[in-house]
Amino acid sequence: MKKVQECGEPDLVAPEVKFRLPPVKSLVPIIDKMKTMGDTLLVIANNNGDVCFQVDADMVSIKTFFKGLGVGDRQENQEEVTIISKMSIKKFSNVLQCKTLNAMYMLGCIVTDQAFVMYVKLREGRGTLTFYIPLLASD
């Protein structure tokens, strides 16, 4: 059995896209409804702060769009980068259960072909929680 000291954070490259997640009170009901439609969630985001959550079923595709979720680190002359990440909707939904912590904000980061990383900034200087959701291979 591994000791806690031997377990570390995953070794990931810098994320291609970072964005603030929408308010968790708004996002949880949307993801819960999408969860009844399929097992896979697509998160399509760009470095302008535009984010789309999508689930596909046999006869329907559901998309929810959010704009203005950027974190302000995009350079003025930097070209737009759009990343599509595919993950288990159940794992994403489980991470959203941190809503009970009453976080100040949540930040989503996409590392292409590796992980969706979610940072949850807690209130009153209590720290930050980091969640890693592995990405699924694209079809």
Side-chain angles (χ1 to χ4, degrees):
M1 192 166 157
K2 285 188 173 184
K3 295 180 181 177
V4 174
Q5 296 85 354
E6 295 174 0
C7 297
E9 294 186 38
D11 187 24
L12 300 174
V13 297
E16 287 82 3
V17 173
K18 296 183 256 182
F19 56 92
R20 276 193 170 209
L21 283 161
V24 72
K25 289 181 182 181
S26 302
L27 190 56
V28 167
I30 293 167
I31 298 300
D32 285 346
K33 287 180 179 149
M34 287 181 163
K35 197 167 46 171
T36 64
M37 302 299 294
D39 297 329
T40 303
L41 176 68
L42 292 177
V43 179
I44 305 158
N46 65 30
N47 54 352
N48 287 332
D50 302 329
V51 181
C52 171
F53 294 92
Q54 176 180 332
V55 66
D56 295 316
D58 290 334
M59 300 190 62
V60 68
S61 178
I62 300 172
K63 297 179 183 181
T64 301
F65 297 91
F66 294 92
K67 294 196 174 286
L69 299 176
V71 292
D73 64 344
R74 182 172 180 229
Q75 305 300 325
E76 190 172 312
N77 57 356
Q78 182 182 9
E79 74 177 59
E80 183 177 307
V81 175
T82 299
I83 303 294
I84 301 172
S85 57
K86 182 179 177 181
M87 67 195 81
S88 163
I89 195 165
K90 290 179 183 175
K91 289 181 181 181
F92 187 81
S93 177
N94 287 342
V95 170
L96 291 181
Q97 296 310 309
C98 67
K99 67 183 179 193
T100 59
L101 299 174
N102 194 21
M104 286 175 48
Y105 63 86
M106 295 169 39
L107 187 68
C109 302
I110 301 174
V111 181
T112 303
D113 297 329
Q114 292 185 348
F116 182 88
V117 183
M118 186 184 303
Y119 297 98
V120 180
K121 177 70 173 169
L122 302 176
R123 295 189 182 278
E124 300 171 10
R126 292 186 178 167
T128 303
L129 298 175
T130 306
F131 297 95
Y132 297 91
I133 302 172
L135 297 184
L136 303 173
S138 298
D139 295 333

